[in-house]
């Protein structure tokens, strides 16, 4: 809902687990300009709670800038270190709930995403940190050394940006661990990252 309120549209390619008909978003976009900032009530309720995906890193950064302007406080993407710290929430296991996959906490190996907040929270009350939709981080992608693990600064020099958390279409639970990391070009749009 927040992305929709700031940008004016949820660019989600997925229809989610309660979609009444395929490609509803395409018909919505036909009648609404991306910059026209349609009222959030013009979207069906089930789409308002879907995580935002199909967003490039550049668009995610722009969202943070616009939100900062609207609310008068600073917002930005987290660094990898910050993201993993928030995801683990003080735990030291593969996943924040333990060392074995538990579908009560993580939505993965699926053909579609689900509404935000439907899986269990981590010890700090954050949900959807693993599975559902991958999350962009501030960092450039580079090999991750022990030295880098304790910084809140972007230490990478690569051209690709980091995203974390796995996604609904990852078939292997290992890819949804707290420590799993992935990368893509900052202008690359993916149906499972936002």
């Amino acid at each position: 809902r927040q992305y929709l309120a700031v940008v004016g549209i949820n660019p989600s390619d997925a229809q989610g687990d309660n979609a009444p008909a395929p490609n509803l978003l395409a018909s919505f976009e036909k009648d609404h300009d991306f910059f026209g900032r349609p009222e959030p009530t013009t979207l069906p309720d089930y789409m308002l709670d879907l995580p935002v995906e199909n967003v490039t890193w550049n668009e995610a950064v722009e969202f943070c800038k616009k939100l900062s302007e609207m609310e008068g406080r600073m917002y930005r993407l987290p660094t990898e270190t910050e993201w993993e710290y928030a995801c683990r929430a003080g735990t030291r296991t593969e996943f924040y709930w333990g060392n074995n996959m538990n579908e009560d906490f993580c939505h993965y190996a699926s053909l579609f995403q689900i509404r935000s907040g439907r899986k269990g929270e981590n010890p700090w009350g954050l949900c959807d940190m693993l599975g559902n939709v991958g999350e962009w981080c501030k960092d450039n992608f580079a090999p991750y050394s022990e030295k880098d693990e304790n910084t809140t600064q972007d230490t990478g020099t690569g051209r690709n940006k980091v995203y974390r958390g796995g996604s609904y279409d990852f078939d292997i639970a290992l890819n949804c661990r707290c420590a799993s990391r992935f990368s893509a070009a900052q202008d690359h749009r993916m149906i499972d990252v936002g």
Side-chain angles (χ1 to χ4, degrees):
R1 292 177 191 253
Q2 187 178 46
Y3 190 91
L4 182 64
V6 172
V7 177
I9 190 168
N10 179 343
S12 177
D13 186 60
Q15 297 297 310
D17 53 343
N18 290 326
N23 215 7
L24 183 61
L25 183 62
S27 64
F28 172 81
E29 288 178 329
K30 180 177 66 175
D31 298 326
H32 295 77
D33 182 68
F34 178 80
F35 298 104
R37 301 182 71 112
E39 291 295 318
T41 56
T42 62
L43 281 176
D45 283 344
Y46 75 89
M47 286 185 77
L48 291 175
D49 293 329
L50 287 176
V52 177
E53 39 82 356
N54 215 18
V55 171
T56 68
W57 182 89
N58 292 331
E59 291 167 338
V61 168
E62 186 61 28
F63 164 77
C64 292
K65 286 179 186 174
K66 287 182 179 181
L67 182 61
S68 295
E69 291 169 8
M70 287 176 70
E71 295 196 357
R73 52 189 300 194
M74 176 66 173
Y75 292 94
R76 63 170 174 76
L77 296 176
T79 65
E80 279 197 87
T81 302
E82 293 166 337
W83 185 94
E84 189 168 332
Y85 180 77
C87 179
R88 288 187 180 280
T91 66
R92 295 189 180 274
T93 52
E94 296 285 322
F95 308 96
Y96 55 76
W97 57 83
N99 286 317
N100 297 309
M101 175 52 78
N102 181 337
E103 292 183 25
D104 290 339
F105 291 93
C106 182
H107 181 65
Y108 78 108
S110 178
L111 297 176
F112 56 85
Q113 58 181 262
I114 61 172
R115 292 181 190 184
S116 297
R118 287 190 127 173
K119 296 292 181 172
E121 301 173 343
N122 75 7
W124 292 349
L126 300 174
C127 58
D128 295 328
M129 294 296 292
L130 299 174
N132 216 14
V133 172
E135 301 167 7
W136 287 114
C137 293
K138 178 182 171 186
D139 303 70
N140 291 316
F141 188 82
Y144 206 40
S145 70
E146 270 188 49
K147 179 181 142 232
D148 298 333
E149 290 179 13
N150 297 316
T151 183
T152 58
Q153 301 300 311
D154 178 4
T155 57
T157 57
R159 292 182 52 219
N160 285 352
K161 297 296 184 176
V162 174
Y163 65 96
R164 302 287 296 265
S167 85
Y168 68 91
D169 73 344
F170 282 23
D171 290 336
I172 302 170
L174 184 66
N175 288 336
C176 293
R177 296 174 306 126
C178 296
S180 295
R181 55 198 301 264
F182 309 93
S183 71
Q186 65 189 47
D187 60 351
H188 188 69
R189 191 176 306 281
M190 295 175 282
I191 64 168
D192 63 344
V193 176

